[in-house]
Amino acid sequence: MAKPFRRVREPDASAVTLCLAQADGATTGEVKLADGRLFSSTGALPIAEAFGIAVHVANEGGLEIVVVDPSNLWKPSWGELLA
């Protein structure tokens, strides 16, 4: 069973942050990583691409993935999202 994801209100400097949004009726994702005190970002991507990047980077770095989802776009098929 996959490790659950954790919902947060803002990017977390100690994790890989997946920020969900909607554009033209499609769900998009933006991956944010902290390097020291500054965040770098992929910019908005199709959700499958953003999710894949987040999982890859988290696995490579042994990091947790947290999710910013203010519009409740998360789908249960993506995994468990804990509050």
Side-chain angles (χ1 to χ4, degrees):
M1 182 174 197
K3 184 175 178 181
F5 300 93
R6 184 169 53 94
R7 182 187 299 262
V8 295
R9 292 181 188 258
E10 59 188 38
D12 183 330
S14 65
V16 176
T17 304
L18 177 61
C19 302
L20 303 182
Q22 203 163 41
D24 298 324
T27 301
T28 63
E30 181 176 358
V31 180
K32 294 186 181 232
L33 294 171
D35 179 16
R37 295 183 333 146
L38 300 175
F39 281 95
S40 61
S41 171
T42 60
L45 298 169
I47 188 61
E49 188 175 346
F51 204 99
I53 290 170
V55 169
H56 177 76
V57 172
N59 286 341
E60 288 291 314
L63 300 169
E64 176 185 23
I65 297 174
V66 297
V67 179
V68 175
D69 183 15
S71 299
N72 294 314
L73 300 170
W74 185 265
K75 294 183 181 178
S77 62
W78 299 341
E80 185 178 3
L81 183 60
L82 303 176

